[in-house]
Amino acid sequence: MKFKIDPFILAIVITVVLAYLFPQYGSHSSTIDLDLIASIGISLIFFFYGLKLSPEKMKSGLKNWRLHILVQASTFIIFPLIVLIFYPLVDSEQNKNLWLAFFFLAALPSTVSSSVVMVSIAKGNIPAAIFNASISGIIGIIITPLWMGFFLNNADTDFELGAIYIKLITEVLLPVILGLFLHRYLGIFATKYKTFLTTFDKSVILLIIYKSFATSFDENIFATLKPSNLVVMVICVVILFYVMYFITGFLSKKLGFNLQDRITAQFCGTKKSLIHGTIFSKILFQNAATMGIILLPLMLFHGFQIFIISIIANKFGTSASDD
């Protein structure tokens, strides 16, 4: 089976290279207000996200409640707790930043588009995948800042939970609600121009990634990151994924799920959203210079999860076709 490089992953790599070569445009001293542009882009992303959500499908999706509880518990409870176990081993400021980057990854919601696509390829429960991936992003608006608040309050960041929620409400939640309200009138256009909206979403994410890494490069933050740190980071990403994949599969069997529900639980319960991650990092970390490092495990996880899940999805899909 042939594999193609995901164009978005390639675009991320190019963006990081551009941030390294031209950090001045994303630095704090830049005359271009990338923060304002990104904030407007974020609000539009979530407006279109709400516009694409169907209230009717959301209501019908509530029926398979045991599957939903497992997916959301895996995403927002089991995932963070696994990373939390290793917090006592943090013995330096640099290691704390690296651990915080992994904890941020663990506290994020599931990704929407790739989860649904992979479940579809694997012949899993598609309606449940759509429901869980969609509701995960909304739950994450509340849960992710709560998890991060335990550690960022004492960290070297300007973190105030009240101010964070105000920003999330104005930039994320209100646009989603407005989109949901207008779904019956404009939902058809969101579906019609789905490809354009996806491109827009990714463009905003690339802008935030450029800004984050340009600031980090400009302030020489990555000078403290050794090659051995990067190797350990990759190994941890791989282990974290497989541990979660095993746990969700084990719990699915214990709960007596059929194969379709098991596929959905494992695919949705192990995925983390790069879109939500880049957006939340901008809000939670207040454009700190270390944000490039904070995003690094998430970007590695994003690339790895797409690669591995695509292999697994194709195997499941082929087996289902043969049956």
Side-chain angles (χ1 to χ4, degrees):
M1 183 172 55
K2 294 182 179 179
F3 292 98
K4 295 181 180 179
I5 297 176
D6 189 327
F8 187 47
I9 293 176
L10 184 60
I12 290 172
V13 174
I14 293 172
T15 300
V16 173
V17 172
L18 288 174
Y20 176 75
L21 295 174
F22 309 103
Q24 64 271 22
Y25 300 112
S27 66
H28 292 304
S29 58
S30 174
T31 56
I32 304 172
D33 195 348
L34 293 183
D35 286 332
L36 177 61
I37 297 171
S39 294
I40 295 171
I42 287 169
S43 296
L44 288 173
I45 283 176
F46 281 93
F47 169 71
F48 295 134
Y49 176 70
L51 207 59
K52 289 181 282 188
L53 288 177
S54 170
E56 291 77 18
K57 289 182 180 179
M58 295 286 284
K59 289 178 184 177
S60 63
L62 287 169
K63 296 174 183 176
N64 202 346
W65 61 270
R66 290 198 309 157
L67 174 57
H68 305 331
I69 289 175
L70 175 58
V71 171
Q72 301 309 322
S74 299
T75 303
F76 294 112
I77 299 176
I78 299 175
F79 222 124
L81 287 178
I82 289 173
V83 178
L84 190 60
I85 292 171
F86 296 93
Y87 184 68
L89 302 178
V90 174
D91 57 0
S92 67
E93 190 63 30
Q94 182 187 16
N95 287 340
K96 184 176 181 180
N97 285 333
L98 293 176
W99 178 87
L100 196 63
F102 272 94
F103 190 71
F104 176 62
L105 159 67
L108 288 171
S110 177
T111 182
V112 178
S113 57
S114 63
S115 289
V116 176
V117 169
M118 295 304 174
V119 168
S120 176
I121 292 172
K123 313 298 183 190
N125 188 332
I126 299 174
I130 294 172
F131 175 83
N132 277 287
S134 301
I135 202 71
S136 181
I138 297 173
I139 295 173
I141 296 172
I142 300 170
I143 301 298
T144 302
L146 280 178
W147 269 121
M148 299 308 298
F150 288 116
F151 303 97
L152 290 181
N153 276 324
N154 299 317
D156 187 24
T157 56
D158 184 19
F159 186 90
E160 293 182 19
L161 195 58
I164 293 299
Y165 275 124
I166 290 173
K167 200 167 180 65
L168 283 169
I169 288 170
T170 54
E171 287 191 17
V172 177
L173 189 58
L174 287 179
V176 170
I177 294 172
L178 180 61
L180 274 169
F181 178 74
L182 295 175
H183 170 80
R184 61 184 297 184
Y185 307 106
L186 302 175
I188 188 171
F189 295 101
T191 303
K192 183 178 180 181
Y193 297 104
K194 182 179 179 180
T195 302
F196 171 78
L197 294 178
T198 300
T199 302
F200 174 79
D201 291 353
K202 291 178 178 179
S203 299
V204 174
I205 299 313
L206 291 175
L207 175 65
I208 297 172
I209 289 174
Y210 169 80
K211 167 67 177 175
S212 302
F213 277 82
T215 302
S216 296
F217 285 131
D218 186 62
E219 301 192 16
N220 211 25
I221 295 298
F222 287 106
T224 61
L225 193 66
K226 301 174 184 177
S228 58
N229 294 136
L230 189 59
V231 172
V232 170
M233 199 178 287
V234 171
I235 293 172
C236 290
V237 160
V238 174
I239 292 174
L240 186 57
F241 172 83
Y242 277 113
V243 167
M244 282 304 303
Y245 191 79
F246 170 78
I247 290 174
T248 50
F250 175 78
L251 293 176
S252 296
K253 289 180 181 179
K254 286 294 182 182
L255 290 168
F257 289 172
N258 59 33
L259 180 59
Q260 288 73 27
D261 286 353
R262 209 156 62 232
I263 289 170
T264 301
Q266 288 187 282
F267 283 22
C268 294
T270 56
K271 303 297 281 295
K272 290 295 179 177
S273 174
L274 180 62
I275 290 179
H276 286 84
T278 49
I279 289 170
F280 284 7
S281 69
K282 179 182 180 298
I283 296 172
L284 293 174
F285 294 92
Q286 299 293 312
N287 299 303
T290 56
M291 199 154 68
I293 292 178
I294 293 295
L295 286 175
L296 200 50
L298 175 60
M299 292 193 297
L300 291 171
F301 192 88
H302 176 77
F304 182 76
Q305 71 183 6
I306 288 178
F307 177 72
I308 295 300
I309 289 293
S310 65
I311 294 174
I312 299 171
N314 275 288
K315 285 183 178 179
F316 274 122
T318 302
S319 298
S321 299
D322 291 340
D323 293 340

mmCIF file of all heavy atoms in Angstrom, residues 17-38:
data_model
loop_
_atom_site.group_PDB
_atom_site.id
_atom_site.type_symbol
_atom_site.label_atom_id
_atom_site.label_comp_id
_atom_site.label_asym_id
_atom_site.label_seq_id
_atom_site.Cartn_x
_atom_site.Cartn_y
_atom_site.Cartn_z
ATOM 1 N N VAL A 17 10.253 26.273 8.982
ATOM 2 C CA VAL A 17 11.492 26.693 8.306
ATOM 3 C C VAL A 17 11.458 28.196 8.023
ATOM 4 O O VAL A 17 12.445 28.914 8.239
ATOM 5 C CB VAL A 17 11.710 25.899 6.997
ATOM 6 C CG1 VAL A 17 12.881 26.483 6.198
ATOM 7 C CG2 VAL A 17 11.975 24.430 7.309
ATOM 8 N N LEU A 18 10.318 28.685 7.548
ATOM 9 C CA LEU A 18 10.171 30.123 7.272
ATOM 10 C C LEU A 18 10.288 30.942 8.558
ATOM 11 O O LEU A 18 10.868 32.033 8.556
ATOM 12 C CB LEU A 18 8.816 30.392 6.605
ATOM 13 C CG LEU A 18 8.669 29.921 5.150
ATOM 14 C CD1 LEU A 18 7.234 30.109 4.667
ATOM 15 C CD2 LEU A 18 9.631 30.674 4.243
ATOM 16 N N ALA A 19 9.749 30.399 9.655
ATOM 17 C CA ALA A 19 9.867 31.088 10.943
ATOM 18 C C ALA A 19 11.326 31.167 11.379
ATOM 19 O O ALA A 19 11.750 32.163 11.993
ATOM 20 C CB ALA A 19 9.041 30.356 12.001
ATOM 21 N N TYR A 20 12.087 30.141 11.051
ATOM 22 C CA TYR A 20 13.513 30.126 11.390
ATOM 23 C C TYR A 20 14.297 31.127 10.529
ATOM 24 O O TYR A 20 15.166 31.850 11.024
ATOM 25 C CB TYR A 20 14.075 28.719 11.192
ATOM 26 C CG TYR A 20 15.562 28.611 11.419
ATOM 27 C CD1 TYR A 20 16.099 28.633 12.708
ATOM 28 C CD2 TYR A 20 16.444 28.507 10.335
ATOM 29 C CE1 TYR A 20 17.471 28.548 12.923
ATOM 30 C CE2 TYR A 20 17.810 28.417 10.534
ATOM 31 C CZ TYR A 20 18.320 28.440 11.831
ATOM 32 O OH TYR A 20 19.675 28.363 12.035
ATOM 33 N N LEU A 21 13.944 31.184 9.241
ATOM 34 C CA LEU A 21 14.662 32.063 8.311
ATOM 35 C C LEU A 21 14.245 33.523 8.460
ATOM 36 O O LEU A 21 15.070 34.431 8.308
ATOM 37 C CB LEU A 21 14.421 31.596 6.862
ATOM 38 C CG LEU A 21 14.977 30.219 6.490
ATOM 39 C CD1 LEU A 21 14.540 29.846 5.077
ATOM 40 C CD2 LEU A 21 16.508 30.203 6.585
ATOM 41 N N PHE A 22 12.968 33.748 8.745
ATOM 42 C CA PHE A 22 12.446 35.120 8.830
ATOM 43 C C PHE A 22 11.668 35.329 10.126
ATOM 44 O O PHE A 22 10.449 35.576 10.115
ATOM 45 C CB PHE A 22 11.545 35.422 7.635
ATOM 46 C CG PHE A 22 12.160 35.102 6.302
ATOM 47 C CD1 PHE A 22 11.795 33.948 5.604
ATOM 48 C CD2 PHE A 22 13.111 35.945 5.746
ATOM 49 C CE1 PHE A 22 12.367 33.658 4.371
ATOM 50 C CE2 PHE A 22 13.687 35.661 4.514
ATOM 51 C CZ PHE A 22 13.319 34.507 3.826
ATOM 52 N N PRO A 23 12.329 35.237 11.271
ATOM 53 C CA PRO A 23 11.618 35.377 12.560
ATOM 54 C C PRO A 23 11.146 36.790 12.846
ATOM 55 O O PRO A 23 10.264 36.986 13.685
ATOM 56 C CB PRO A 23 12.680 34.935 13.579
ATOM 57 C CG PRO A 23 13.980 35.273 12.927
ATOM 58 C CD PRO A 23 13.773 35.024 11.456
ATOM 59 N N GLN A 24 11.722 37.785 12.150
ATOM 60 C CA GLN A 24 11.426 39.182 12.466
ATOM 61 C C GLN A 24 9.956 39.543 12.257
ATOM 62 O O GLN A 24 9.416 40.422 12.927
ATOM 63 C CB GLN A 24 12.318 40.125 11.643
ATOM 64 C CG GLN A 24 12.111 40.080 10.134
ATOM 65 C CD GLN A 24 12.970 39.037 9.437
ATOM 66 O OE1 GLN A 24 13.427 38.086 10.063
ATOM 67 N NE2 GLN A 24 13.194 39.222 8.139
ATOM 68 N N TYR A 25 9.283 38.843 11.322
ATOM 69 C CA TYR A 25 7.887 39.178 11.042
ATOM 70 C C TYR A 25 6.926 38.652 12.115
ATOM 71 O O TYR A 25 5.775 39.095 12.192
ATOM 72 C CB TYR A 25 7.476 38.631 9.677
ATOM 73 C CG TYR A 25 8.310 39.190 8.544
ATOM 74 C CD1 TYR A 25 9.193 38.371 7.834
ATOM 75 C CD2 TYR A 25 8.236 40.538 8.209
ATOM 76 C CE1 TYR A 25 9.974 38.892 6.806
ATOM 77 C CE2 TYR A 25 9.011 41.061 7.183
ATOM 78 C CZ TYR A 25 9.881 40.232 6.494
ATOM 79 O OH TYR A 25 10.653 40.744 5.480
ATOM 80 N N GLY A 26 7.397 37.707 12.930
ATOM 81 C CA GLY A 26 6.549 37.174 13.984
ATOM 82 C C GLY A 26 7.022 37.531 15.374
ATOM 83 O O GLY A 26 6.421 37.109 16.360
ATOM 84 N N SER A 27 8.091 38.324 15.455
ATOM 85 C CA SER A 27 8.630 38.703 16.760
ATOM 86 C C SER A 27 7.741 39.763 17.417
ATOM 87 O O SER A 27 6.868 40.357 16.784
ATOM 88 C CB SER A 27 10.052 39.240 16.604
ATOM 89 O OG SER A 27 10.040 40.458 15.880
ATOM 90 N N HIS A 28 8.007 40.006 18.701
ATOM 91 C CA HIS A 28 7.209 41.003 19.441
ATOM 92 C C HIS A 28 7.403 42.418 18.889
ATOM 93 O O HIS A 28 6.540 43.277 19.050
ATOM 94 C CB HIS A 28 7.597 40.978 20.924
ATOM 95 C CG HIS A 28 7.192 39.712 21.627
ATOM 96 N ND1 HIS A 28 5.886 39.271 21.643
ATOM 97 C CD2 HIS A 28 7.919 38.801 22.335
ATOM 98 C CE1 HIS A 28 5.816 38.145 22.337
ATOM 99 N NE2 HIS A 28 7.033 37.832 22.768
ATOM 100 N N SER A 29 8.538 42.650 18.214
ATOM 101 C CA SER A 29 8.829 43.986 17.692
ATOM 102 C C SER A 29 8.313 44.193 16.267
ATOM 103 O O SER A 29 8.489 45.263 15.690
ATOM 104 C CB SER A 29 10.348 44.223 17.710
ATOM 105 O OG SER A 29 11.017 43.236 16.938
ATOM 106 N N SER A 30 7.662 43.182 15.710
ATOM 107 C CA SER A 30 7.171 43.273 14.334
ATOM 108 C C SER A 30 6.086 44.340 14.205
ATOM 109 O O SER A 30 5.249 44.527 15.095
ATOM 110 C CB SER A 30 6.619 41.919 13.885
ATOM 111 O OG SER A 30 6.016 42.020 12.616
ATOM 112 N N THR A 31 6.095 45.039 13.075
ATOM 113 C CA THR A 31 5.071 46.062 12.808
ATOM 114 C C THR A 31 3.771 45.436 12.308
ATOM 115 O O THR A 31 2.734 46.098 12.258
ATOM 116 C CB THR A 31 5.583 47.067 11.761
ATOM 117 O OG1 THR A 31 5.974 46.353 10.584
ATOM 118 C CG2 THR A 31 6.771 47.849 12.302
ATOM 119 N N ILE A 32 3.830 44.155 11.939
ATOM 120 C CA ILE A 32 2.637 43.437 11.476
ATOM 121 C C ILE A 32 1.952 42.790 12.677
ATOM 122 O O ILE A 32 2.564 41.990 13.389
ATOM 123 C CB ILE A 32 3.010 42.345 10.444
ATOM 124 C CG1 ILE A 32 3.777 42.947 9.269
ATOM 125 C CG2 ILE A 32 1.754 41.642 9.941
ATOM 126 C CD1 ILE A 32 4.332 41.917 8.314
ATOM 127 N N ASP A 33 0.712 43.140 12.916
ATOM 128 C CA ASP A 33 -0.013 42.625 14.084
ATOM 129 C C ASP A 33 -0.607 41.246 13.762
ATOM 130 O O ASP A 33 -1.803 41.111 13.488
ATOM 131 C CB ASP A 33 -1.111 43.604 14.495
ATOM 132 C CG ASP A 33 -1.652 43.312 15.893
ATOM 133 O OD1 ASP A 33 -1.332 42.225 16.424
ATOM 134 O OD2 ASP A 33 -2.377 44.158 16.441
ATOM 135 N N LEU A 34 0.246 40.226 13.816
ATOM 136 C CA LEU A 34 -0.209 38.874 13.516
ATOM 137 C C LEU A 34 -1.173 38.356 14.579
ATOM 138 O O LEU A 34 -2.032 37.517 14.288
ATOM 139 C CB LEU A 34 0.994 37.926 13.395
ATOM 140 C CG LEU A 34 1.946 38.161 12.213
ATOM 141 C CD1 LEU A 34 3.038 37.091 12.193
ATOM 142 C CD2 LEU A 34 1.180 38.168 10.895
ATOM 143 N N ASP A 35 -1.042 38.852 15.808
ATOM 144 C CA ASP A 35 -1.945 38.426 16.879
ATOM 145 C C ASP A 35 -3.393 38.814 16.575
ATOM 146 O O ASP A 35 -4.312 38.013 16.761
ATOM 147 C CB ASP A 35 -1.527 39.054 18.218
ATOM 148 C CG ASP A 35 -0.277 38.409 18.780
ATOM 149 O OD1 ASP A 35 -0.042 37.227 18.477
ATOM 150 O OD2 ASP A 35 0.474 39.095 19.499
ATOM 151 N N LEU A 36 -3.581 40.036 16.106
ATOM 152 C CA LEU A 36 -4.936 40.498 15.770
ATOM 153 C C LEU A 36 -5.496 39.701 14.599
ATOM 154 O O LEU A 36 -6.662 39.275 14.624
ATOM 155 C CB LEU A 36 -4.909 41.989 15.421
ATOM 156 C CG LEU A 36 -6.242 42.595 14.975
ATOM 157 C CD1 LEU A 36 -7.286 42.470 16.075
ATOM 158 C CD2 LEU A 36 -6.059 44.059 14.570
ATOM 159 N N ILE A 37 -4.666 39.496 13.569
ATOM 160 C CA ILE A 37 -5.107 38.717 12.406
ATOM 161 C C ILE A 37 -5.492 37.310 12.830
ATOM 162 O O ILE A 37 -6.521 36.770 12.405
ATOM 163 C CB ILE A 37 -3.989 38.670 11.334
ATOM 164 C CG1 ILE A 37 -3.693 40.084 10.825
ATOM 165 C CG2 ILE A 37 -4.391 37.764 10.172
ATOM 166 C CD1 ILE A 37 -2.478 40.170 9.927
ATOM 167 N N ALA A 38 -4.664 36.692 13.697
ATOM 168 C CA ALA A 38 -4.930 35.330 14.167
ATOM 169 C C ALA A 38 -6.199 35.272 15.004
ATOM 170 O O ALA A 38 -6.984 34.323 14.889
ATOM 171 C CB ALA A 38 -3.741 34.813 14.974
#
